[in-house]
């Protein structure tokens, strides 16, 4: 995802999926993947969810927002992803992986 090619999927989610749910103002601030802005309203949260389909992640802006908010420790959940391995992440936060961590891969034959 995160590409303009998914604009139709975004449209369908906006019309067919999100209307089925009550989206409320978040109780905690949420940082958008796309530009690092802080979301505090239901409308902005809905837009952020839809932006995930067709707008790219801008990790440096996310890191800057989190740092500016005083975040010093980052918990990365779920299977291995690249964010906890990036120098920008490691140099700005104490990074804690939660859950399965790296996916198991069979040893390579040599």
């Amino acid at each position: 995802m995160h590409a303009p090619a998914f604009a139709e999927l975004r449209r369908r989610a906006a019309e067919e999926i999100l209307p089925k749910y009550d989206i409320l103002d978040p109780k905690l601030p949420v940082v958008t993947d796309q530009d690092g802005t802080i979301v505090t309203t239901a409308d902005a949260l809905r837009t952020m969810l839809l932006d995930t389909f067709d707008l790219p992640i801008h990790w440096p802006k996310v890191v800057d927002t989190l740092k500016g908010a005083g975040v010093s420790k980052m918990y990365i959940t779920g299977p291995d992803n690249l964010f906890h391995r990036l120098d920008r992440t490691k140099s700005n936060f104490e990074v804690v992986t939660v859950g399965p961590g790296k996916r198991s891969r069979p040893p390579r034959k040599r």
Side-chain angles (χ1 to χ4, degrees):
M1 294 217 211
H2 311 298
F6 292 101
E8 176 60 18
L9 185 57
R10 175 193 176 120
R11 184 197 62 74
R12 289 186 59 200
E15 292 175 4
E16 301 171 20
I17 306 299
L18 288 183
K20 296 177 182 180
Y21 300 94
D22 291 329
I23 297 176
L24 305 174
D25 293 347
K27 292 183 180 187
L28 297 172
V30 175
V31 177
T32 65
D33 298 16
Q34 297 79 24
D35 62 8
T37 57
I38 296 178
V39 171
T40 58
T41 68
D43 286 340
L45 186 58
R46 182 180 186 282
T47 298
M48 182 201 76
L49 291 170
L50 293 171
D51 285 349
T52 300
F53 287 98
D54 59 349
L55 295 179
I57 291 173
H58 196 294
W59 190 244
K61 289 182 179 180
V62 173
V63 169
D64 291 346
T65 298
L66 293 170
K67 245 184 99 173
V71 173
S72 60
K73 186 182 283 190
M74 180 176 289
Y75 292 86
I76 306 289
T77 61
D80 184 46
N81 65 50
L82 66 98
F83 296 108
H84 76 277
R85 292 181 275 147
L86 296 174
D87 289 339
R88 186 166 187 95
T89 306
K90 294 187 300 185
S91 65
N92 286 290
F93 307 105
E94 175 186 347
V95 179
V96 179
T97 54
V98 178
K102 292 186 177 186
R103 290 181 215 153
S104 299
R105 293 187 179 106
R108 291 175 65 172
K109 294 181 182 179
R110 293 183 178 212

